[in-house]
Amino acid sequence: MPGLHGSPADADARIDALVARMTLPEKLGQLSQISSDRAPSSAQLRDEVRAGRWGSLMNLPDAATRGELQRIALRESRLAFR
């Protein structure tokens, strides 16, 4: 059954293509989680998200910080998921 973005086969092909483009550090980053006790969205944390260092962040202080880091991951990372 086709979904919002095509058939399951189309999704599998897009996933395979994305994983093939990812570097080993980006793949490892997707497996990495951090509990952020840093200043909200510090420059270092923003740079690490941009570089694909973290796949998951816990204990962020507020929705605005979560939204900013999500935007960076989606729009400013090397693979920029647009």
Side-chain angles (χ1 to χ4, degrees):
M1 171 182 222
L4 180 63
H5 299 288
S7 71
D10 292 339
D12 287 345
R14 285 194 316 277
I15 291 166
D16 289 344
L18 174 61
V19 171
R21 291 174 43 215
M22 293 174 76
T23 64
L24 180 57
E26 288 168 336
K27 291 173 185 173
L28 293 173
Q30 286 299 302
L31 300 173
S32 300
Q33 183 175 52
I34 185 175
S35 179
S36 181
D37 58 355
R38 300 181 198 179
S41 195
S42 69
Q44 180 183 0
L45 182 56
R46 288 192 309 271
D47 288 344
E48 290 173 351
V49 168
R50 195 173 286 113
R53 173 67 182 93
W54 301 112
S56 175
L57 296 130
M58 295 183 351
N59 301 321
L60 294 170
D62 56 62
T65 299
R66 288 188 298 273
E68 177 188 10
L69 294 173
Q70 182 72 34
R71 181 194 60 73
I72 289 169
L74 292 174
R75 302 291 182 227
E76 297 180 21
S77 65
R78 185 182 71 84
L79 296 172
F81 302 100
R82 296 175 190 198

